[in-house]
Amino acid sequence: MSLLHDFAVLCVLMEKKRVPDGAGGYMTTWEEGLEFDNYQYLDTSMEARRAQQEGVKSLYSALVQRDFPLEYGDAFKDKNTGLTYRVTSNPDEKKAPKSSTFDLKYFTVERFSLPQ
């Protein structure tokens, strides 16, 4: 067991579904998908604080397993708190090298409310 696992938070991908609304239209619903361990922390750097003052939502830095299918724009929920987040960078662009002992990839996220 790695020290890193002490900081893992169980999360679940939120899958967007369009279903008939019964009146000839459609409505959006969100269903839970794959679960994964997320290693996330709030970015409090000067750049992040400046971005927040300019209207950017709280930015978080996060890590997941290198082979987990997470993409830019995906939404996920923290299973402990119920808070939802959206991926704001491409995780596949910042994967650890295959020779690394940590098989992780890095990305940024923001707090996000799922639209209805």
Side-chain angles (χ1 to χ4, degrees), residues 4-86:
L4 181 63
H5 292 291
D6 291 345
F7 298 98
V9 174
L10 184 61
C11 292
V12 61
L13 273 177
M14 298 303 293
E15 304 289 347
K16 183 178 181 178
K17 302 282 183 179
R18 290 183 179 91
V19 295
D21 65 3
Y26 290 88
M27 62 183 182
T28 300
T29 62
W30 294 88
E31 295 179 4
E32 292 187 1
L34 298 171
E35 290 186 347
F36 62 98
D37 284 332
N38 180 22
Y39 313 96
Q40 177 174 309
Y41 66 92
L42 178 62
D43 188 351
T44 58
S45 68
M46 263 322 212
E47 293 83 9
R49 286 189 223 166
R50 199 170 307 125
Q52 282 181 319
Q53 290 175 347
E54 294 174 6
V56 175
K57 297 178 184 177
S58 296
L59 296 177
Y60 296 80
S61 295
L63 298 165
V64 295
Q65 295 299 312
R66 182 175 35 224
D67 61 350
F68 188 76
L70 194 65
E71 299 174 352
Y72 175 84
D74 280 348
F76 64 90
K77 178 172 69 173
D78 181 322
K79 296 277 285 190
N80 294 328
T81 65
L83 296 174
T84 53
Y85 301 88
R86 177 174 50 193

Side-chain angles (χ1 to χ4, degrees), residues 77-100:
K77 178 172 69 173
D78 181 322
K79 296 277 285 190
N80 294 328
T81 65
L83 296 174
T84 53
Y85 301 88
R86 177 174 50 193
V87 178
T88 58
S89 68
N90 184 352
D92 288 331
E93 289 179 355
K94 296 194 177 181
K95 288 182 179 181
K98 291 187 180 195
S99 60
S100 172

